[in-house]
Amino acid sequence: MAKQTTTLHGVFMEVMGLGVLLSGVSGVGKSELALELLTRGHRLIADDAPIFSRLAEDVVEGVCPPPLHDFLEVRGLGVINVRAMYGDGAITDRAVLQLVVHLQWMRDDELVNLDRLRASKDDVRVLGVAVPRILLPVAAGRELAVLAEAAVRSHMLAVGGYDAAEDFTRRQQRYMS
């Protein structure tokens, strides 16, 4: 059986040990977010066109195409060599895709209408494997790196069985009783 592969648009990073694809339309700020995450100690795998392969029934791994190794294109700065700027520790060769953080422009009136207790999340299929996806609204003044790290931490807690919204709701119900 031939190995299934696909190339996706986005920046693939290792954030807190998890393979995280930053996705969104061109110009939404994926590379800028990646650069900020790099300065916070996270690692780049691939910018723009990571290649994903299905390794097992529920495992998809991402790597960087050889011509793009070490490089990140940032509007206004051009192409930067992440390894040269931040050292070998800022790059890793591969990771299992565990989360997609999808950046989406939102106006203030759209932000107001988001569910305030639960993240906007669903699953996206990559090579037939369901991968959790969290919508990260992009708007002026939002600290995307902090929000992306919080999204990853929240996902890690959810995988471990913890749901903050349920915990919060139960606590409020006990208080009102």
Side-chain angles (χ1 to χ4, degrees):
M1 178 176 165
K3 183 158 79 167
Q4 295 177 301
T5 64
T6 190
T7 301
L8 298 176
H9 177 69
V11 181
F12 192 42
M13 298 199 64
E14 183 187 81
V15 179
M16 296 176 205
L18 267 66
V20 178
L21 177 66
L22 306 176
S23 69
V25 298
S26 183
V28 75
K30 297 178 297 294
S31 294
E32 290 85 351
L33 174 54
L35 188 58
E36 179 67 21
L37 290 170
L38 284 166
T39 67
R40 297 166 75 88
H42 306 292
R43 302 191 303 172
L44 176 70
I45 299 163
D47 180 32
D48 195 43
I51 299 171
F52 294 94
S53 302
R54 186 169 174 177
L55 301 182
E57 184 176 329
D58 60 348
V59 178
V60 173
E61 181 184 69
V63 299
C64 186
L68 302 178
H69 274 263
D70 301 341
F71 294 106
L72 179 68
E73 184 269 320
V74 181
R75 281 186 174 79
L77 293 179
V79 175
I80 62 171
N81 185 315
V82 171
R83 189 181 304 272
M85 288 180 77
Y86 296 97
D88 292 340
I91 302 285
T92 190
D93 290 336
R94 61 191 65 244
V96 172
L97 177 60
Q98 295 169 284
L99 181 66
V100 175
V101 174
H102 184 75
L103 305 180
Q104 183 173 324
W105 288 109
M106 287 203 174
R107 300 182 314 267
D108 289 342
D109 62 311
E110 293 173 309
L111 283 170
V112 169
N113 292 321
L114 288 176
D115 185 337
R116 303 227 2 213
L117 292 183
R118 298 198 175 276
S120 298
K121 59 185 176 179
D122 61 4
D123 287 339
V124 62
R125 296 200 79 74
V126 178
L127 297 170
V129 176
V131 179
R133 175 175 59 185
I134 296 176
L135 171 70
L136 188 57
V138 175
R142 291 178 58 88
E143 295 288 339
L144 294 183
V146 171
L147 294 171
E149 286 177 336
V152 171
R153 287 180 189 274
S154 179
H155 172 72
M156 292 166 72
L157 287 170
V159 167
Y162 178 75
D163 184 324
E166 284 180 19
D167 189 12
F168 178 79
T169 302
R170 279 193 306 273
R171 187 178 299 176
Q172 296 306 311
Q173 288 170 341
R174 279 194 312 269
Y175 180 76
M176 292 187 312
S177 298

